[in-house]
Amino acid sequence: MWMANYELSPAYYHITELALSFLEKVLKVNIKLHATNEELDEGDIFLFNHFARFETAIPPYLIYRATGKMSRSITSPEFFTGSEAAKHLLIGLGAVPANMPGLMPFLAREIIRGRKVVIFPEGGMVKDRRVVDKRGRYSVFSRTAGERRKHHMGSAVLSLGVDIFKESVRSAKKHGNDAILSEWSKDLGEDGRELLLEFSEKETTIIPANITFYPIRAEVSLLERWAGLLAQGETAIRLKEELRIESNILFRDTDMDIRFGRPSCPSEYIGLLEKLTLRFAKSELGSLEEIFAYLKGDGLLHTFTKRRLYELRNSYMEEIYSCVSVNISHLASSLIYAYLEQGVDAIETSTFSRALYLAIKKIQKYPFIKLHRSVANPELYCSVFEGTCPALEEYLTVAEELRLVEREEGLINFMPRLLVEVDFENIRIENPIMVYANEVRPIPRITSSVAKAIEETDSITESEMALLSFDDELSSRAFDLARYSGSKHRELNNAQRISTDPRPFLLFPEGTPKSTGVILIHGFTASPAEMRPLGEKLRDAGYLVHGVRLKGHGTSVWDLKDTTRADWRRSVAHSRRVMGALVKDVIIVGFSTGALCALESAALDPKGVRGVVSAAAPLKLRDKAMLFTPLVHGINVLTGIFSEDMELHPFHESHPEHPEVNYSHIPISSLHELDKYIGEVEKLFSKVTQPVLVMQSSGDETVVPASGKRLYDKLGSEKKRLLNINSNRHGIIYENIDNCHDDVLDFIEDMEEYTKT
């Protein structure tokens, strides 16, 4: 019979590799495995939640890619009733049906051979993501039984059976029972005995994992239309539903995050009474078949261990559900149902956006909550206030199309369909909002954070919101730092000699700050550390000071390579919003490229800017390499079309004055951005009408010294001053050359008096 032949096939793993490569590169399915190869190698039994049919093939391949070890996976018998090709693909990847005779001993022997076992303890696709009842107990809907049931115990039983067998092997070895060891190892191959003994010394490890898809879509797909032509009746309805979900995941830009929870070991759940019972039963238990038959029966061991098995199961299920990658749609959905529970059926868009932002900031405080990029990266969620957040807009658009919400000018109406109980098979299509809310319901901190966000929405002050926005700057740097810390980036990252703290800063003076605040903007390849000494002097003088981090800086040269001048503008604009809520007016102090940012901001958004300090603005650079930057950049762009690794010369090695602050390598693409930025900002100088202090080193070896006079002449300001500093250094602000910090402080204090008069 075909079920007797379960030969694993590396060729089918290769087919899966090609398929996943196609999904990732062509269809933009972003599969992200949040685990190291070492962590995966430690596991014996891997447990996954189940939402989509193709999940059956993906985990075994990802484990294989990370560890080089093939897996066995328990699969619903219905998956083996389709085409012969699909059936053999599943078998080649290691799948076996859940109703296979002798399943547990078979899987145990595979673990002995060093293979992994993949199990979906929910027992089927949980399309509604409803995994806890009203009392918080774990259960799922069984499509075959038509009712809710507990999660399967197979994973717990398998792990315990394997542990019992290990104890038996160790006992046989201790007592020199070679005959029984030979009997147990004879079907493991010629190295069976060594495998058996090595296996018995390693603790059995269960790795719980969660697969989260984002976003969940509900539109009709081309595949669904094909299904209507290829099948009729009940089969067509079922096939169409499956293909709608699967194709909307596969054929659109979708994130598939796989996260792993705290490992579980069955030995941790076996108490003294169970251990004594095991010793008593050991003489009766020899083969794996006998062990699992005993566990399945009604003997003393089964009675004593049943409660422990429940504890083990609940432990790993809790880990699975706590590892969901929480995204912005999860929080928006939880927010909607929290409002509905309070009897609110309509909410102002601005209030909803503020509550959503507060919920995001609250869950960020809990390190055990796994965050999707849409709530971990401020770039992706900060725009909720402006109504320009793409993720939220897509979410609300889908909700409108499904008649779950209705939007009118400044208002979101929650429609009655949100509370209608939907058929299990169709809930992902008809009410994805409920699916999102169900998915994070097992995490109590989500519920409490959403409730507190609603409570605080009307009472939180603008100053408190500004502090949260500043925290976004810290979060943004942390996110970017992690994003560019992989093996690809390691060599260049390690070559940098930065030792100063590169984080943005917000310095509060003792007592009440003066009404004018100061924004400090660092230079190209540097970080806020470059401006920190000046910031501390200004803080001591009574000013609230914000040190901005221009995106791409203070993290990795690879990060800088991927940023543009538009990103730098957004960094400064964000700082303006933060300071605008904390002080009445600002003075912007910029060094080098930061001076360009300061002048541009004052020209384009003059309201509230009392003055500008421009130190060593780089209108023209001495580095001759800048002459060839457009050519090299153009070649890099052309070669990079085929592969980023093919770029001719992506980085230019530099020798900065302050290697403890600046990158020692400069991306060619960033030099190109800087060159373009200089030209764009220079056209705006005449629009700068605020008072300006222009500072320039007379012997600057980075910027052509004549840049200072050129800038001074082009400014549209009536009140301006050109201060030439006698030095051949570029970093005049960082080094406080000629006590230029005092000149900056004098200018700021003069501006306060000047504005008053």
Side-chain angles (χ1 to χ4, degrees), residues 371-384:
L371 303 181
H372 179 263
R373 295 167 286 293
S374 60
V375 293
N377 184 0
E379 287 181 55
L380 301 181
Y381 66 76
C382 277
S383 56
V384 293

Side-chain angles (χ1 to χ4, degrees), residues 65-234:
R65 185 170 69 180
T67 68
K69 296 178 180 179
M70 291 189 281
S71 302
R72 291 293 184 181
S73 58
I74 303 178
T75 308
S76 173
E78 68 176 310
F79 287 6
F80 292 85
T81 59
S83 70
E84 286 296 313
K87 183 169 62 179
H88 287 299
L89 174 61
L90 284 174
I91 294 172
L93 290 172
V96 293
N99 61 355
M100 170 189 172
L103 177 63
M104 290 298 178
F106 173 80
L107 294 174
R109 288 190 176 91
E110 292 294 85
I111 293 173
I112 296 172
R113 292 186 175 96
R115 290 168 181 161
K116 311 297 186 182
V117 172
V118 173
I119 299 177
F120 301 92
E122 292 168 335
M125 289 180 281
V126 183
K127 302 178 182 183
D128 59 359
R129 293 293 205 196
R130 186 176 297 170
V131 296
V132 293
D133 60 21
K134 293 181 179 179
R135 296 172 62 182
R137 298 173 301 187
Y138 294 121
S139 64
V140 293
F141 179 78
S142 171
R143 187 173 59 198
T144 54
E147 60 183 16
R148 298 190 68 79
R149 58 160 174 78
K150 294 290 186 181
H151 294 79
H152 292 325
M153 296 280 289
S155 309
V157 172
L158 174 61
S159 64
L160 179 59
V162 168
D163 252 24
I164 294 172
F165 186 61
K166 286 180 178 180
E167 175 68 22
S168 298
V169 172
R170 290 193 294 267
S171 177
K173 177 186 176 184
K174 179 180 179 181
H175 293 94
N177 196 338
D178 291 337
I180 192 66
L181 289 175
S182 297
E183 177 67 23
W184 288 341
S185 61
K186 67 181 181 182
D187 60 349
L188 297 176
E190 59 182 52
D191 297 327
R193 184 185 177 89
E194 288 73 19
L195 282 173
L196 196 64
L197 294 176
E198 182 181 349
F199 147 86
S200 69
E201 297 303 322
K202 179 182 179 295
E203 192 162 34
T204 307
T205 305
I206 301 172
I207 307 291
N210 186 289
I211 302 176
T212 313
F213 291 103
Y214 172 79
I216 301 171
R217 298 183 178 90
E219 62 195 43
V220 177
S221 69
L222 182 60
L223 280 184
E224 184 188 354
R225 295 190 181 99
W226 287 349
L229 298 175
L230 297 173
Q232 300 295 324
E234 186 66 28

